[in-house]
Amino acid sequence: MHFDYGYMEDRQLGKPYNIGLLKRLLPYARVYWRPICTALVLTLAITLFDLAVPYLPKVAIDNYILSFWHPVSGERVPRAAADEFRQKYGHLVDPTGVSGLGFLSSAQLKHIDPGDLRRYREAGLVSMERFYRIPSDMVQGDRPLRAEQWIKARGPWVYVPAEQVQGIASEQVITLRGRDLRGVMFIALLLLILIGGSVLLNYWEFFLLEKAGQHIMQDIRMELFSRIQGQSVRFFDENPVGRLVTRVTNDVENLNEMFKSVIVTVFKDVFLLSGIIVVLLDLNWRLALVSFALLPFVFLLTWFFSNRAREVFREIRRHIAAINAFLQERISGIRIVQLFVQEKSQLERFKALNHGNYLASMRQIKIFAVFMPSMEILSAVGIGLLIFYGGGKVIGEQLSLGSLVAFIGYIQIFFKPIRDISEKYNIMQSAMASMERIFGLMDRREVIQEPQEPQRPRKREGHVEFKDVSFSYNQGPRVLDTVSFEIRPGQVVALVGVTGSGKTTIINLLERFYEFDEGSILLDGIDIRNWGIHELRSQVGLVMQDVFIFAGSIAENISLGDGEVTGETVDEVARQVQAHRFISRLAGGLDHEVREGGATLSAGERQLLALGRALAYNPALLVLDEATSSVDPETERVIQDTISRLSRRQTTLIVAHRPSTIQQADKILVMHHGRIVEQGTHRELMASGRVYLNLVRFAHNWNIGMME
């Protein structure tokens, strides 16, 4: 059996790269352009450091460790060949000042065309013999070297055959080759500096990106939450709470993951790949082409596994969404689960959901378990090709050993950016899907329009007039049909009727949660569409049947964190609604901390807090939407006493179904099928013997409320 608990997250993933969505992200990033640009500069510097690290061993090997020099002599060779060599490659030669042309270093040999080098060696122009270049003062005096084989150069150098140096004691070799040893030590020190500098730059790059990313995500969250708060109630009818919470939390976090793990990382990977390609082509373009022969296989493998991973990733998202929705629903309804002893059955269903997620995750693991070793195999094949082809070039002295070592180092890091890009593919897909949902939510404009020039009444009395008001939800059948009534200042008016007659809809329209289709609603002589929304709702204090208590103190639940509601006001309204009786018994009094939903408070105590919350803003009109339906008779009597006292200075509209709650009302409005069918006092309506009388009789016969 398939249980579809997901509510949004099982949608198809969008395109992995959507330029339009990325452009919409730019205004948020533009505010923090300084740290982002600094991070990009650091990224470029880190890339240069990373590129230099494999090159330094090449310099150490070619210039110091294997710093051989080959004699170049123009004697006993055809004059045309010598002239050709001077014209083409004379600038590479270190002249000795004696007969012949001079010496060529092993590193310079790679700059000579392989065909030309072969001809010059066959002609005897470039010797295969190897020499070390040693400062002349190092071979003066009592040295175990045969001076007859030295070649004195024009400068302070002496060229000594490698066989002579290799045949003496190691201490003497170190002394003679002190310059090369110092060069190797300098390269090693420079390598440590580059690695340390790269670590330091990576730290600052990560810090700047994380800081900018957190700021950007904070701005997006704030704007998204602000947009959600500004939506009309109709919007929340269409969007479940879990979906909205996911937008503000998970989807925004996906954007943060893309920003810090993908965008700048892609720049770094592109810089690194480009740099490696340039360096390899400069070292030896033929060997570079051999290395690049594997690239089509790399990209084909990456494309193949990315597509497979995308399908599995989509399935994992669907399973996780189902698990989240299942948990949210079952934990919220844990009382029902325990009441009907369904723990075992729910555990089995949860086990099935978890097993599906496990199987999908294992498929993802299998894909990456094949993909990663495949990339390593291709990397190993690339190194093997380099050793096979490049080793032959080194033996033929067409390539220096240092260059081959550098090639191997670059190839080893060449595959890493490609792997990174493929691994970030799914992150990019997830982020794009999240971005599409976030901006889609921001583009929703189901808001109640503010008037361009809000009007204010001369006197706020709570005078309400409904004039031929009609309304329907989502263009469906009419819920209200030409409803007209009046509530005069200071009156207590009750609204009664069976379920679905339109009572709550009247309150929703009065609070302007929805826009009515026809007619007009006046508050203190002004159409509510010409009131400022915040001012209108501050003048209509609403106490609903289902009271929501926030986690926090009693005082915070009354003031709702509004700084204009002082502690004195909170204490006063608590006494007005007689909530101080139970508050004084709580530890801390008004500072007593309650749990989310007011789990530690009774239904009656929650209702008294809600009544105090409504009165804290001193509204002109007090609306009680079945506020006494779930309280005990004693609490109901307290609320009735409070209403009786408040009605002397506030207009009151009561939606109720208990006769005891509405009998003392100045006027009772009886609703049926979206119309006001009767109105009058309790005595008048009982005498008429129509709808109201039937409601009262039904309630008494079944000892229930008039709506039940």
Side-chain angles (χ1 to χ4, degrees):
M1 183 180 295
H2 172 68
F3 302 103
D4 187 10
Y5 299 107
Y7 43 80
M8 189 71 171
E9 304 311 308
D10 55 348
R11 288 176 51 186
Q12 296 290 316
L13 295 177
K15 297 179 180 179
Y17 311 106
N18 190 319
I19 302 300
L21 291 176
L22 290 175
K23 287 181 178 179
R24 293 198 61 175
L25 193 61
L26 285 179
Y28 299 96
R30 191 178 294 121
V31 180
Y32 307 99
W33 67 271
R34 290 181 185 275
I36 294 175
C37 290
T38 303
L40 288 175
V41 172
L42 291 178
T43 298
L44 185 59
I46 293 169
T47 303
L48 294 177
F49 281 23
D50 292 343
L51 288 173
V53 169
Y55 195 82
L56 290 178
K58 182 258 184 197
V59 175
I61 293 172
D62 291 345
N63 293 357
Y64 301 107
I65 299 175
L66 299 179
S67 57
F68 297 121
W69 292 78
H70 301 272
V72 180
S73 175
E75 298 178 357
R76 297 186 299 275
V77 297
R79 184 179 180 85
D83 292 341
E84 177 190 336
F85 181 87
R86 288 190 181 93
Q87 183 178 2
K88 285 185 175 182
Y89 308 110
H91 62 284
L92 302 176
V93 178
D94 182 27
T96 61
V98 295
S99 58
L101 297 177
F103 280 82
L104 270 175
S105 68
S106 298
Q108 296 290 6
L109 288 178
K110 73 183 185 67
H111 295 294
I112 301 178
D113 182 85
D116 291 343
L117 182 61
R118 185 174 59 254
R119 287 192 298 106
Y120 296 148
R121 281 181 169 169
E122 290 175 352
L125 181 63
V126 178
S127 174
M128 295 286 291
E129 191 177 3
R130 299 182 300 176
F131 285 74
Y132 285 119
R133 188 167 75 172
I134 299 173
S136 57
D137 58 345
M138 297 299 299
V139 294
Q140 300 298 326
D142 186 18
R143 301 292 181 188
L145 297 174
R146 297 189 300 275
E148 64 273 8
Q149 294 185 359
W150 302 349
I151 299 179
K152 185 72 172 66
R154 179 183 297 173
W157 303 105
V158 172
Y159 292 90
V160 180
E163 292 78 2
Q164 281 199 36
V165 177
Q166 294 170 357
I168 63 177
S170 58
E171 296 81 3
Q172 294 172 328
V173 173
I174 292 175
T175 301
L176 289 174
R177 299 193 63 188
R179 172 182 171 274
D180 293 333
L181 184 60
R182 288 191 297 273
V184 171
M185 292 178 62
F186 174 76
I187 294 297
L189 180 61
L190 184 58
L191 191 61
L192 290 176
I193 292 174
L194 287 177
I195 294 175
S198 179
V199 171
L200 184 62
L201 293 180
N202 270 294
Y203 167 80
W204 281 107
E205 179 210 35
F206 180 83
F207 176 80
L208 291 173
L209 283 178
E210 188 67 29
K211 182 178 179 180
Q214 290 299 325
H215 278 297
I216 292 172
M217 297 312 113
Q218 175 179 298
D219 293 345
I220 292 177
R221 277 198 180 102
M222 292 299 294
E223 181 176 349
L224 186 57
F225 183 65
S226 177
R227 294 286 183 92
I228 290 174
Q229 283 196 122
Q231 300 287 352
S232 68
V233 175
R234 191 188 301 272
F235 169 84
F236 296 97
D237 294 339
E238 300 173 357
N239 292 274
V241 174
R243 179 186 302 174
L244 300 179
V245 171
T246 301
R247 296 297 159 266
V248 182
T249 55
N250 294 10
D251 284 329
V252 174
E253 186 57 36
N254 285 342
L255 293 191
N256 186 35
E257 186 68 24
M258 178 191 71
F259 181 80
K260 69 181 182 182
S261 302
V262 177
I263 293 182
V264 178
T265 304
V266 167
F267 279 107
K268 182 189 294 185
D269 292 338
V270 171
F271 290 158
L272 189 59
L273 284 174
S274 303
I276 291 175
I277 291 173
V278 171
V279 173
L280 292 184
L281 290 173
D282 178 69
L283 287 175
N284 190 296
W285 66 269
R286 292 180 178 85
L287 194 57
L289 293 180
V290 172
S291 304
F292 299 157
L294 293 176
L295 284 182
F297 299 98
V298 171
F299 288 120
L300 183 63
L301 188 68
T302 301
W303 173 82
F304 177 78
F305 280 104
S306 293
N307 284 341
R308 295 295 181 274
R310 182 188 186 193
E311 296 172 1
V312 176
F313 180 69
R314 180 186 297 140
E315 185 177 357
I316 291 175
R317 282 171 59 90
R318 183 175 62 82
H319 284 290
I320 291 177
I323 289 174
N324 290 339
F326 182 90
L327 284 174
Q328 181 183 10
E329 186 178 71
R330 266 46 182 192
I331 293 176
S332 299
I334 190 64
R335 287 181 175 85
I336 301 299
V337 173
Q338 294 179 347
L339 178 64
F340 290 94
V341 197
Q342 291 298 307
E343 293 92 341
K344 185 176 181 180
S345 65
Q346 297 304 317
L347 185 62
E348 290 297 324
R349 297 171 76 174
F350 188 64
K351 180 180 179 181
L353 289 174
N354 269 292
H355 186 65
N357 182 59
Y358 162 78
L359 294 178
S361 299
M362 288 303 299
R363 282 192 286 272
Q364 183 187 45
I365 291 172
K366 289 178 181 178
I367 289 174
F368 281 98
V370 175
F371 173 69
M372 293 301 176
S374 299
M375 294 294 290
E376 293 297 333
I377 290 174
L378 286 177
S379 177
V381 170
I383 293 174
L385 288 175
L386 285 178
I387 294 175
F388 172 75
Y389 183 80
K393 296 296 182 182
V394 172
I395 294 173
E397 297 194 8
Q398 297 177 16
L399 181 71
S400 68
L401 180 61
S403 296
L404 180 59
V405 171
F407 256 93
I408 294 175
Y410 282 119
I411 289 300
Q412 285 179 327
I413 64 175
F414 184 75
F415 286 88
K416 183 178 181 298
I418 299 176
R419 286 198 303 267
D420 288 342
I421 292 175
S422 63
E423 289 173 6
K424 300 298 185 290
Y425 184 83
N426 285 337
I427 295 178
M428 198 72 177
Q429 281 187 319
S430 177
M432 284 295 172
S434 295
M435 202 183 309
E436 183 177 358
R437 291 191 286 262
I438 287 172
F439 290 128
L441 192 59
M442 286 186 176
D443 291 339
R444 296 284 293 272
R445 287 295 185 270
E446 295 184 21
V447 297
I448 302 298
Q449 295 298 324
E450 289 271 8
Q452 294 183 352
E453 297 182 2
Q455 299 179 15
R456 293 185 176 182
R458 295 180 180 178
K459 188 176 181 180
R460 298 178 181 179
E461 302 175 309
H463 185 194
V464 177
E465 294 180 85
F466 271 61
K467 295 183 177 180
D468 298 325
V469 176
S470 298
F471 173 76
S472 62
Y473 291 99
N474 299 322
Q475 298 180 349
R478 283 190 173 184
V479 179
L480 297 182
D481 188 5
T482 59
V483 171
S484 299
F485 64 87
E486 181 180 9
I487 305 175
R488 296 187 178 277
Q491 278 189 324
V492 177
V493 175
L495 193 62
V496 300
V498 297
T499 300
S501 59
K503 303 182 301 299
T504 301
T505 301
I506 285 181
I507 295 175
N508 288 336
L509 297 183
L510 184 59
E511 289 278 4
R512 214 177 168 208
F513 289 148
Y514 299 89
E515 295 284 22
F516 45 91
D517 302 330
E518 299 175 4
S520 60
I521 302 175
L522 304 181
L523 177 61
D524 291 330
I526 298 176
D527 194 308
I528 62 172
R529 290 170 291 195
N530 295 326
W531 279 72
I533 293 177
H534 296 292
E535 189 170 2
L536 170 68
R537 290 174 181 168
S538 68
Q539 293 304 307
V540 182
L542 174 60
V543 181
M544 296 179 289
Q545 177 182 7
D546 297 324
V547 178
F548 191 88
I549 301 298
F550 296 91
S553 68
I554 296 289
E556 289 172 343
N557 269 282
I558 294 176
S559 66
L560 294 180
D562 192 335
E564 296 182 0
V565 180
T566 63
E568 291 78 7
T569 303
V570 171
D571 186 65
E572 181 184 350
V573 297
R575 292 183 179 279
Q576 285 181 3
V577 300
Q578 302 186 49
H580 66 286
R581 295 182 179 179
F582 80 87
I583 293 176
S584 61
R585 297 195 302 267
L586 300 175
L590 287 170
D591 294 325
H592 177 78
E593 295 286 328
V594 297
R595 299 176 183 174
E596 180 182 353
T600 57
L601 302 177
S602 68
E605 290 169 345
R606 291 196 294 269
Q607 287 290 356
L608 291 176
L609 282 185
L611 186 58
R613 179 189 296 168
L615 295 178
Y617 295 88
N618 193 27
L621 174 65
L622 180 63
V623 180
L624 305 178
D625 186 6
E626 302 180 22
T628 62
S629 62
S630 57
V631 300
D632 56 89
E634 181 180 352
T635 305
E636 182 182 9
R637 181 182 54 78
V638 172
I639 294 177
Q640 288 175 355
D641 292 343
T642 302
I643 295 172
S644 178
R645 287 184 289 102
L646 293 176
S647 62
R648 300 169 188 170
R649 60 185 176 89
Q650 286 172 313
T651 307
T652 306
L653 173 62
I654 304 173
V655 175
H657 57 267
R658 286 183 178 175
S660 58
T661 307
I662 62 177
Q663 285 180 3
Q664 303 304 319
D666 298 318
K667 181 166 59 175
I668 299 174
L669 305 176
V670 183
M671 295 201 66
H672 189 67
H673 295 311
R675 292 175 176 270
I676 302 292
V677 294
E678 289 181 312
Q679 56 181 304
T681 65
H682 173 72
R683 186 182 299 274
E684 292 171 347
L685 294 177
M686 289 295 289
S688 67
R690 297 175 60 199
V691 178
Y692 181 78
L693 177 61
N694 293 331
L695 291 174
V696 173
R697 286 177 175 173
F698 182 80
H700 280 301
N701 290 338
W702 292 93
N703 195 25
I704 59 176
M706 295 172 63
M707 284 184 59
E708 299 176 319

